[in-house]
Amino acid sequence: MKASADRAPFDRAAFDRTVRERLERSGRRYTGGRRSVVEALVESGHPLSISDIEKLRPGLPRSSAYRHLVELQQAGIVRRLSAEDEFSRYELAEDLTEHHHHLVCVSCGRVVDVTPPKSFEIAVTEVLDELATSEGFTVQGHRLDLLGRCASCS
Amino acid sequence: MKASADRAPFDRAAFDRTVRERLERSGRRYTGGRRSVVEALVESGHPLSISDIEKLRPGLPRSSAYRHLVELQQAGIVRRLSAEDEFSRYELAEDLTEHHHHLVCVSCGRVVDVTPPKSFEIAVTEVLDELATSEGFTVQGHRLDLLGRCASCS
DNA sequence: ATAGTACTGAGACTGAGTCTCATTATAGTA
DNA sequence: TACTATAATGAGACTCAGTCTCAGTACTAT
Ligand SMILES: [Mn+2]
Ligand SMILES: [Mn+2]
Ligand SMILES: [Zn+2]
Ligand SMILES: [Zn+2]
């Protein structure tokens, strides 16, 4: 069972429009290099490290890839994940996909998306909001990762 | 309400014995430098960055602090957290304190411990185990952080 | 076309974290 | 206590993921 089996089909045209809008709203163009990075993230469907991106887009210079990722973060298109290992990973912003969580392999670093049922999210959010409020925190969101070993590392 | 209000009182002697045991089990001594790092973590009660540790232990050389943290991780005494910012943070291993989660300030990077009720943990674990199993993952644990702004950054 | 501005690639640079090595402390033994 | 073997330490060189600079290129608008 795929966690996303019941998701609406991906509308590439609408997605492109949104990405372009967000880039332009932050004063940038939707150029070939930026599109190349965004499409690598769309196609792979799971968080990518810089070296993943280099393998998928051999022509793209490292400095450009890093720069694009920063710009895409500022435009709210990409989110950077802090990983267990030393390598950051990047994925599409949640409102371009859907709220989800991660299975993180402590052995190889691979990250897989996973989406719990909505009832779970509601319960989690409620409890956590209360805890945060009691410490004077203003909650913006949460991050829930499962650490373990992936199928091929077991 | 403090999240840890109902925790058993901290037994420093028993704690020291456990730390020494774990270090010796991994072939190391419980020396002054290592004790200095461990006690900084105990006293502060929340995850510390290297620069936090430097401020708390001005005499301790940077290279020694880093080395101690690696050794303490290998001995299962310390856990390294990957943060939102570029700086790792370190805390005592969960079985020396208790299972807990983090409020992470996206503005200043500060991390506060928070402990949800056991019923919450049971529910979370159950749902997550199922999701992980369906992806062929073997779960070792989870990590749940709340991102937001701390009281002084709001 | 021209000007103004954004984008790009090459590579220099930064700094958190690691490694090396010479010196010092410790535990064990006689 | 003296001697030996091994572990620990501090200084600083080093690594390399990530950032910054800058000269050249591509857009965009008029
Ligand atoms: Mn969630
Ligand atoms: Mn938990
Ligand atoms: Zn793996
Ligand atoms: Zn803060």
Side-chain angles (χ1 to χ4, degrees):
Chain A
M1 157 213 169
K2 273 288 185 1
S4 54
D6 52 0
R7 201 186 326 179
F10 181 69
D11 181 345
R12 161 82 44 125
F15 174 82
D16 266 12
R17 228 175 297 124
T18 306
V19 169
R20 161 163 276 117
E21 254 168 34
R22 292 190 187 182
L23 273 171
E24 288 177 351
R25 205 187 311 140
S26 71
R28 331 210 87 125
R29 302 174 194 150
Y30 195 13
T31 59
R34 288 172 186 146
R35 181 181 299 271
S36 179
V37 169
V38 169
E39 291 183 345
L41 295 174
V42 172
E43 286 162 22
S44 90
H46 67 99
L48 298 180
S49 65
I50 268 282
S51 73
D52 292 335
I53 293 172
E54 274 179 334
K55 274 170 215 135
L56 292 168
R57 295 294 182 268
L60 189 66
R62 185 180 287 251
S63 64
S64 297
Y66 273 119
R67 194 190 314 106
H68 292 326
L69 287 166
V70 170
E71 299 154 346
L72 290 166
Q73 284 175 78
Q74 291 167 346
I77 297 157
V78 160
R79 179 166 70 141
R80 177 180 181 163
L81 309 178
S82 44
E84 282 302 275
D85 55 28
E86 69 215 281
F87 307 104
S88 290
R89 282 156 198 271
Y90 303 86
E91 66 177 4
L92 294 175
E94 283 203 330
D95 66 345
L96 294 176
T97 52
E98 65 178 335
H99 175 69
H100 64 273
H101 297 289
H102 296 120
L103 306 176
V104 181
C105 180
V106 296
S107 168
C108 70
R110 189 182 165 77
V111 179
V112 176
D113 292 345
V114 79
T115 306
K118 189 147 273 158
S119 60
F120 174 81
E121 292 294 341
I122 292 170
V124 166
T125 304
E126 191 178 314
V127 173
L128 295 183
D129 271 0
E130 203 165 308
L131 285 171
T133 305
S134 74
E135 297 280 343
F137 248 76
T138 310
V139 182
Q140 291 180 1
H142 65 251
R143 177 172 65 187
L144 174 50
D145 303 320
L146 277 178
L147 307 177
R149 303 179 76 88
C150 74
S152 52
C153 286
S154 284
Chain B
M1 157 212 168
K2 275 288 184 5
S4 55
D6 52 359
R7 201 186 325 182
F10 181 70
D11 180 344
R12 161 78 49 123
F15 174 82
D16 266 12
R17 228 174 299 124
T18 306
V19 169
R20 162 165 274 119
E21 253 169 34
R22 292 189 187 183
L23 273 171
E24 289 177 349
R25 204 186 313 140
S26 70
R28 331 211 86 123
R29 303 175 193 149
Y30 196 12
T31 60
R34 288 172 186 146
R35 180 180 300 271
S36 180
V37 169
V38 169
E39 289 182 346
L41 295 174
V42 171
E43 285 162 22
S44 90
H46 66 99
L48 299 180
S49 65
I50 267 281
S51 72
D52 293 335
I53 293 173
E54 274 177 337
K55 272 170 217 134
L56 293 168
R57 295 292 183 270
L60 189 65
R62 186 181 285 251
S63 65
S64 297
Y66 273 119
R67 195 192 311 108
H68 292 325
L69 288 167
V70 170
E71 298 154 346
L72 290 166
Q73 283 175 79
Q74 290 166 347
I77 296 156
V78 160
R79 179 166 71 142
R80 177 181 181 162
L81 309 178
S82 43
E84 281 302 274
D85 56 27
E86 68 215 282
F87 307 104
S88 290
R89 283 157 196 273
Y90 303 87
E91 67 177 4
L92 294 175
E94 284 201 329
D95 66 344
L96 293 175
T97 53
E98 67 179 332
H99 175 68
H100 64 274
H101 298 287
H102 296 119
L103 305 176
V104 181
C105 179
V106 296
S107 169
C108 70
R110 189 181 164 77
V111 179
V112 175
D113 291 346
V114 78
T115 306
K118 191 146 272 160
S119 60
F120 175 82
E121 292 295 342
I122 292 170
V124 167
T125 304
E126 191 178 315
V127 173
L128 295 183
D129 272 0
E130 203 165 309
L131 284 170
T133 305
S134 75
E135 297 279 344
F137 248 77
T138 310
V139 182
Q140 290 180 1
H142 65 250
R143 177 172 67 188
L144 173 51
D145 303 320
L146 277 179
L147 307 177
R149 303 180 75 88
C150 75
S152 53
C153 286
S154 284

